[in-house]
Amino acid sequence: MNAVKAGIEYVLVLSVLGATGYFLYTKAVPLLTPPCSTSVEYSIGSIDPRYGLSTSTLVSYLKEAEAPWNKAAGKTVATYMETGSLKVNLVYSEQQAATSLGKNIDADQKVYVAAKASLESLRRAFEQQKNAYEAAVASFNAASEAYSAEVAKWNARGGAPKEIFQQLENQKRSLEARQASLARDAADINSLVTKINQGVTALNAAAKKINAKVSTYNSAVGDDFDQGDYVSDAQGKRINVFEFTKAADLKRVLEHELGHAIGLGHVENPASIMYSYNVGSGLALTEEDVAELKAVCKIKS
């Protein structure tokens, strides 16, 4: 009876997602009219359908983004109007495509990790069954050798007495039953090996696809890129948002760009809305944000 050998071997090295760096805001464009002399009236320009965001949802986000500025100013410095001259656009950029791909990679990796854990569980089951099988085979072989030696002894004497002969017959039937059981165990183990090897093949194929996506992602995302900008030129005034990961991220970008539309420049506190990089969280204004607003709008404390 042959021992079972499992050909299980896989080596997977997933690429590490490249750091996206920080999201860079563009600088404010100097205004031709005195800041805060009139309320900035904005409206919705265009929303790329790939964002899956409705006009009403974007308007609600913008109202959340304008609220801190209006409260700090003690008056309305930014407000939504259907005919507002400042157009807010969601532009589906290469960076957003990379962000979406990054989310897809995260989902794929979770599935991969779960599949790998399941495969490792099967491998542990295989090791347990293989060890038990090998121990059973060793025990069977020892019993078989003892039986053969006993048969040879009595054959050398010209035959065994009836009682001994019956005992040997019983041992033979027991050994045959054990052999049949071992054959079934071997079939079960070989079936498990086939299942494991199929899982390894599928897992390696999944890893290959993930690594290809990671390579695309790393190539698409640079160290710094514009997450949004405010533009005022001959074509009009507009806020363009190029990338965001979630609603809270989008609201913060909108609040920053509305600040530029009001006339504010960048401040030095990394936690501030008007810091040049989007590294903070939430919509609350910092002391530096409020100081910049009051200085630009000439609001007395």
Side-chain angles (χ1 to χ4, degrees):
M1 185 176 290
N2 296 323
V4 180
K5 295 183 179 180
I8 303 174
E9 181 179 358
Y10 65 94
V11 178
L12 297 175
V13 180
L14 290 179
S15 301
V16 178
L17 290 181
T20 60
Y22 296 115
F23 302 124
L24 180 64
Y25 290 125
T26 56
K27 295 181 178 179
V29 177
L31 300 178
L32 299 179
T33 57
C36 309
S37 58
T38 59
S39 173
V40 172
E41 296 181 349
Y42 61 84
S43 61
I44 304 303
S46 63
I47 303 175
D48 191 295
R50 285 172 288 186
Y51 280 108
L53 204 65
S54 67
T55 297
S56 60
T57 298
L58 181 56
V59 169
S60 69
Y61 289 172
L62 279 158
K63 289 183 177 180
E64 287 186 58
E66 76 178 42
W69 295 124
N70 292 336
K71 182 178 180 180
K75 62 178 181 178
T76 301
V77 291
T79 187
Y80 170 74
M81 295 286 289
E82 288 188 5
T83 58
S85 59
L86 172 62
K87 301 298 181 182
V88 179
N89 307 303
L90 298 188
V91 182
Y92 199 89
S93 64
E94 181 179 315
Q95 288 84 4
Q96 184 62 39
T99 295
S100 298
L101 180 59
K103 292 180 180 179
N104 184 265
I105 291 171
D106 288 342
D108 286 350
Q109 286 183 328
K110 288 179 181 178
V111 173
Y112 169 82
V113 169
K116 185 177 181 182
S118 177
L119 185 59
E120 289 299 327
S121 178
L122 289 178
R123 291 190 65 179
R124 288 192 294 271
F126 162 75
E127 289 296 331
Q128 292 174 354
Q129 291 183 35
K130 179 176 72 72
N131 292 338
Y133 172 78
E134 290 175 347
V137 167
S139 176
F140 170 81
N141 287 338
S144 181
E145 289 174 3
Y147 167 80
S148 296
E150 189 70 10
V151 169
K153 181 184 75 173
W154 287 108
N155 284 341
R157 296 179 182 181
K162 184 177 181 179
E163 182 179 348
I164 299 298
F165 178 82
Q166 189 59 49
Q167 291 177 0
L168 290 173
E169 282 295 305
N170 291 340
Q171 289 181 30
K172 179 182 178 182
R173 284 192 290 272
S174 176
L175 287 170
E176 288 173 345
R178 289 173 66 180
Q179 186 176 38
S181 177
L182 286 171
R184 289 191 295 271
D185 290 344
D188 290 343
I189 293 173
N190 283 328
S191 177
L192 182 57
V193 168
T194 298
K195 187 175 182 180
I196 290 172
N197 286 338
Q198 289 173 343
V200 169
T201 299
L203 198 63
N204 283 338
K208 185 176 181 180
K209 289 181 179 179
I210 291 173
N211 287 338
K213 290 181 180 180
V214 169
S215 179
T216 300
Y217 176 88
N218 289 340
S219 298
V221 179
D223 293 332
D224 290 337
F225 59 85
D226 290 341
Q227 196 175 17
D229 65 11
Y230 166 69
V231 180
S232 178
D233 56 22
Q235 297 178 350
K237 299 176 182 179
R238 55 197 178 277
I239 288 175
N240 299 312
V241 177
F242 303 112
E243 191 276 345
F244 61 89
T245 56
K246 53 185 181 295
D249 190 32
L250 173 58
K251 293 174 187 177
R252 191 173 172 87
V253 174
L254 292 171
E255 186 175 359
H256 179 99
E257 300 306 339
L258 280 175
H260 282 321
I262 293 168
L264 310 186
H266 289 148
V267 299
E268 297 300 319
N269 184 354
S272 297
I273 293 296
M274 295 312 298
Y275 187 63
S276 56
Y277 288 89
N278 187 8
V279 294
S281 61
L283 301 180
L285 301 179
T286 64
E287 292 181 1
E288 290 81 0
D289 289 322
V290 174
E292 174 70 4
L293 175 68
K294 289 183 176 181
V296 170
C297 294
K298 302 187 184 310
I299 300 172
K300 295 181 180 180
S301 300

